[in-house]
Amino acid sequence: MNHSQNIPFLDLVTPHVELEQQLIAVFQQVIRTAGFVGGPMVDGFEKAFATFCETNFSVAVSSGTDALRFAIMACGIKPGDVVVTVPNTFIATTEAISQAGALPEFVDIDERTYNMDPEKLRDCCETQCTTDESGKLISRRSGRPVTAVVPVHLYGQTADMDAILELADRYELVVIEDACQAHGAEYFSRKHNRWMKAGSMGRVAAFSFYPSKNLGACGEAGAATTDDEALAAKIKMLRDHGQAKKYYHDVEGYNGRLDAMQAGFLHTKLKHLPDWNEKRRQHAERYRQLLGKHEGIILPCEPDWSKAAYHLFVIRVADREQLGDALGSAGIGTGIHYPIPLHLQKAYSTLRYKKGDFPVTERVAAEILSLPMFPELTEETQVRIAEQTAACVSRLVTVGS
Ligand SMILES: Cc1ncc(COP(=O)(O)O)c(C=O)c1O
């Protein structure tokens, strides 16, 4: 790549052009059989994705948001129940909770991993909740029963699941993983003494296959993963108008099925996911080498219990607007994931949180900047990104000091 060329934040063209013939073959197969929704292509992808996630079942649906919403509903979370999650996530996490009829409440994140801080969850259970006569956890904030927790594996790195699962066990909380950004991420469970895949640790998990994800469809798609056959069957009913047998509706469900074409595309792309994730890990390592010693830049922390899938490579700097602008002027795309924590979003003003409630999330949200991260990045482009980043941060550090 020569220096006058722009560097996109994400390249979604190259991988699809490389797989063009295989994707066209999927398209041909679908139009020649007219099996457009559900069917063998969806079944085949579900089996392959469950194998990839090391779970017994995966249920393909029309988006990650639907996967999370159906997962919450299938777990029997009742209207008005509190589901605890983090404010540092995409709004789909809390949309799914609210739209399943539950009430989202937040705990702050760990400043190193940007994911749910198990100590904050412990504090929430021990000091911000009481227990009723049957020992059930009741939120002091809302007076509602707390029945589930949704750790989000943000940016492609899992939350510290052992501690979260242990607390959930103690307080009888259902654990629903939001693995929408974490296809293939791994967690070393000290409890089980082995590496575990994102999506295989909670009772159920949700994945998004939005095109920009590590495994992305050519449109909208998602999946829920679980080891629990009955739960998988409930999610299948919810995605298909509440029916297991055509026109026999046990419950009122939704239209949340996956198109066969998207399943075929995903199945084709899934074969490449381990290689793509490995490339992301190599790029992350190179960013570390290039930027690691630079004053004024905080790099993502990958604890020894984590093998992140690097959906995003998120750095922190004091003045990220200036850095984003400077990189933009140099033709380098960046992103902010996410600029406004959920507890401060207008959409959640009714939850009555205020500035200062989650100081770690708020501090991090003001400083984060996502650098380009995709498998096709080259060493040359990374060097250019790092040079521009380092030069801009040096200028800012000098000005600020
Ligand atoms: C953390 C998180 N949760 C949920 C979702 C929802 O997935 P989808 O866009 O497929 O509905 C996303 C998608 O961006 C996400 O990043």
Side-chain angles (χ1 to χ4, degrees), residues 116-318:
M116 180 176 282
D117 183 341
E119 283 312 309
K120 304 276 170 44
L121 180 64
R122 183 186 309 281
D123 184 60
C124 168
C125 297
E126 289 176 359
T127 69
Q128 293 167 44
C129 291
T130 54
T131 43
D132 68 7
E133 59 287 353
S134 64
K136 284 241 172 292
L137 214 53
I138 306 290
S139 159
R140 289 182 197 274
R141 185 179 175 80
S142 58
R144 302 281 188 172
V146 182
T147 55
V149 55
V150 178
V152 183
H153 305 322
L154 206 68
Y155 310 149
Q157 172 154 275
T158 69
D160 188 357
M161 290 301 288
D162 276 349
I164 292 169
L165 287 163
E166 193 225 292
L167 281 164
D169 215 29
R170 185 172 332 149
Y171 291 100
E172 291 181 26
L173 307 176
V174 178
V175 178
I176 300 156
E177 295 170 71
D178 182 338
C180 284
Q181 298 192 3
H183 321 67
E186 290 183 61
Y187 173 75
F188 187 82
S189 165
R190 282 85 81 200
K191 184 176 174 202
H192 298 287
N193 196 30
R194 66 181 171 91
W195 288 96
M196 298 181 80
K197 282 277 184 74
S200 72
M201 295 176 277
R203 171 120 191 264
V204 56
F207 287 88
S208 165
F209 304 123
Y210 185 73
S212 61
K213 298 294 194 279
N214 289 30
L215 178 63
C218 303
E220 302 278 357
T225 52
T226 183
D227 283 336
D228 182 333
E229 189 167 10
L231 197 67
K234 278 189 192 159
I235 297 171
K236 281 187 180 174
M237 290 239 288
L238 285 170
R239 78 173 170 187
D240 193 17
H241 299 289
Q243 60 186 353
K245 186 177 165 194
K246 200 165 185 181
Y247 302 136
Y248 288 75
H249 306 277
D250 292 356
V251 291
E252 192 179 273
Y254 300 84
N255 179 355
R257 296 166 303 220
L258 184 65
D259 291 351
M261 198 116 59
Q262 296 303 343
F265 293 153
L266 286 163
H267 204 157
T268 301
K269 293 177 76 180
L270 178 60
K271 300 178 183 102
H272 300 269
L273 183 58
D275 175 48
W276 287 336
N277 276 352
E278 188 47 42
K279 290 203 167 99
R280 286 173 184 268
R281 289 185 57 74
Q282 286 166 8
H283 301 332
E285 186 50 38
R286 187 174 294 129
Y287 271 138
R288 286 186 198 288
Q289 284 163 13
L290 293 167
L291 293 170
K293 295 202 176 64
H294 206 281
E295 194 195 343
I297 302 176
I298 300 175
L299 295 177
C301 165
E302 191 176 350
D304 55 9
W305 46 256
S306 169
K307 277 188 208 157
Y310 288 100
H311 172 54
L312 296 169
F313 191 85
V314 178
I315 63 169
R316 276 170 72 191
V317 291

Side-chain angles (χ1 to χ4, degrees), residues 7-10 155 287 312-317 320-321 323-325 327-328 332-339 364-373 385:
I7 302 172
F9 176 62
L10 177 63
Y155 310 149
Y287 271 138
L312 296 169
F313 191 85
V314 178
I315 63 169
R316 276 170 72 191
V317 291
R320 66 107 183 281
E321 307 300 336
L323 178 58
D325 288 350
L327 291 176
I332 297 168
T334 57
I336 301 172
H337 302 90
Y338 297 91
V364 165
E367 295 176 352
I368 45 179
L369 191 73
S370 308
L371 296 182
M373 172 53 88
I385 295 162

Side-chain angles (χ1 to χ4, degrees), residues 84-88 105-110 115-125 128 149 353 357-358 361:
V84 176
T85 190
V86 284
N88 184 39
E105 290 190 9
F106 299 114
V107 295
D108 212 346
I109 56 167
D110 176 338
N115 281 327
M116 180 176 282
D117 183 341
E119 283 312 309
K120 304 276 170 44
L121 180 64
R122 183 186 309 281
D123 184 60
C124 168
C125 297
Q128 293 167 44
V149 55
Y353 285 107
D357 281 346
F358 303 103
T361 294

